[in-house]
Amino acid sequence: MKVVIVEDEPLAAEKLERYLLKYDADILIMGKLASIEEAVLWITSHQEEVDLFFMDVQLADGLSFEIFNTVKINKPVIFTTAFDEFAIDAFKVNSIDYLLKPILFTDLSKALKKLEALRSQFSGKNDVSQVVKHMTDKVFKNRFLVSLGNHIHSVKSEDISFFFAEGRDAYLVTSSRKKYMIEYKLESLEEMLEPKSFFRVNRTFIVNINAIEDVLIYSNRRLKLTLSQNIEKEIIVSREKVADFKQWFEGN
């Protein structure tokens, strides 16, 4: 197996290499890359030669997730980091595991065995591109069960205009303006919903693109949304999400 390590701490990269060779002496370390810029250049030219990437989340010039914004990676990735706050972001890309530093050999072994198990599910066991396809062919939630008195209803995702949080509770609102409390948090909903249709615009709202009637340039480099159904709540795209929102809105 051919591996590339993206890690800006030389000692951490050397330790990871030792563990990899301890796990399998035939593993070939194709390269050790220390920055986003270096990784993008290398991956652009040599990605097809690699079977697996190890990436530290926090590099000297930014978060390694930025690499995915520049170059399409079609190989499995195992992330490493000293913090667990990036776990959700890690699994939005081709991550098969997420190892917390200081990395233990047992943790690394489990991650590699997980990769082997995924590969064994396919007839071409050495074709890791099939593993990536398996990870990205995600089935998104298309219905939500809601309660109304003693009755339970099933609401299609396509009929939901937006989700919002209020205190500790979360709600969905349908295109017919019906509001239901749901058991999921917005963080969980982000992973369940089809990303082409739904976007989390701020800490409080996730909106359906088909419910957006107008987008207004708002103060302080933000955007204000008007939905097809008139609601009392003001929906503002937070400043840090404006660029992603525009890309999402245009891409659909």
Side-chain angles (χ1 to χ4, degrees), residues 1-5 28-31 33 42-43 45-54 73-76 126 128-129:
M1 181 165 58
K2 297 177 181 179
V3 175
V4 167
I5 297 172
L28 176 62
I29 307 300
M30 296 286 290
L33 313 173
W42 198 97
I43 292 168
S45 302
H46 305 287
Q47 177 171 195
E48 296 310 314
E49 304 170 22
V50 184
D51 295 319
L52 173 66
F53 289 97
F54 277 86
I73 297 179
N74 55 17
K75 299 298 177 71
N126 293 321
V128 292
S129 65

Side-chain angles (χ1 to χ4, degrees), residues 6-249:
V6 182
E7 169 64 72
D8 63 344
E9 298 178 16
L11 292 178
E14 290 173 11
K15 178 181 178 182
L16 185 54
E17 181 178 11
R18 287 198 309 271
Y19 280 175
L20 286 167
L21 296 177
K22 180 180 177 180
Y23 180 84
D24 183 351
D26 291 329
I27 287 178
L28 176 62
I29 307 300
M30 296 286 290
K32 297 177 186 175
L33 313 173
S35 67
I36 293 172
E37 182 179 5
E38 189 178 0
V40 168
L41 289 173
W42 198 97
I43 292 168
T44 300
S45 302
H46 305 287
Q47 177 171 195
E48 296 310 314
E49 304 170 22
V50 184
D51 295 319
L52 173 66
F53 289 97
F54 277 86
M55 290 189 184
D56 183 18
V57 171
Q58 292 181 299
L59 301 172
D61 55 346
L63 299 181
S64 59
F65 302 130
E66 296 175 30
I67 297 170
F68 295 81
N69 296 331
T70 306
V71 60
K72 183 176 181 180
I73 297 179
N74 55 17
K75 299 298 177 71
V77 179
I78 295 176
F79 284 99
T80 65
T81 182
F83 307 94
D84 61 3
E85 61 191 89
F86 301 108
I88 292 178
D89 290 323
F91 287 104
K92 289 180 180 178
V93 292
N94 299 348
S95 174
I96 63 167
D97 217 329
Y98 183 89
L99 304 181
L100 286 175
K101 296 180 178 180
I103 297 171
L104 302 177
F105 177 71
T106 52
D107 294 333
L108 180 135
S109 298
K110 289 178 182 177
L112 293 175
K113 289 183 187 300
K114 181 178 179 180
L115 173 60
E116 291 171 1
L118 285 169
R119 292 167 73 177
S120 69
Q121 295 179 23
F122 306 96
S123 56
K125 294 183 180 180
N126 293 321
D127 186 1
V128 292
S129 65
Q130 292 298 313
V131 177
V132 175
K133 185 177 186 302
H134 173 75
M135 291 187 295
T136 55
D137 285 350
K138 182 175 179 180
V139 177
F140 296 99
K141 195 170 181 66
N142 56 21
R143 285 181 176 272
F144 287 83
L145 289 181
V146 297
S147 298
L148 184 62
N150 295 324
H151 300 275
I152 295 177
H153 298 276
S154 178
V155 179
K156 294 180 181 179
S157 297
E158 62 193 62
D159 294 333
I160 300 171
S161 292
F162 63 95
F163 298 84
F164 72 97
E166 193 170 75
R168 295 185 177 182
D169 299 321
Y171 300 85
L172 67 79
V173 177
T174 69
S175 54
S176 58
R177 301 187 183 185
K178 293 180 180 178
K179 171 183 168 183
Y180 300 99
M181 181 184 291
I182 53 176
E183 297 180 355
Y184 302 103
K185 302 298 183 184
L186 295 195
E187 289 76 14
S188 299
L189 289 169
E190 281 188 279
E191 300 302 308
M192 298 176 182
L193 296 166
E194 166 60 64
K196 290 183 179 180
S197 299
F198 291 91
F199 186 89
R200 186 172 183 179
V201 298
N202 54 39
R203 292 181 179 180
T204 306
F205 285 92
I206 296 175
V207 300
N208 186 333
I209 193 168
N210 295 318
I212 299 174
E213 189 172 83
D214 189 27
V215 180
L216 177 68
I217 297 175
Y218 200 57
S219 63
N220 201 18
R221 292 180 295 171
R222 295 179 297 169
L223 301 173
K224 182 177 179 179
L225 305 185
T226 300
L227 302 188
S228 52
Q229 52 178 254
N230 187 23
I231 64 171
E232 296 179 359
K233 297 179 181 293
E234 192 173 57
I235 303 180
I236 305 297
V237 181
S238 59
R239 187 169 48 193
E240 63 272 16
K241 288 182 173 285
V242 165
D244 289 340
F245 174 84
K246 287 180 177 179
Q247 184 176 4
W248 170 75
F249 200 49

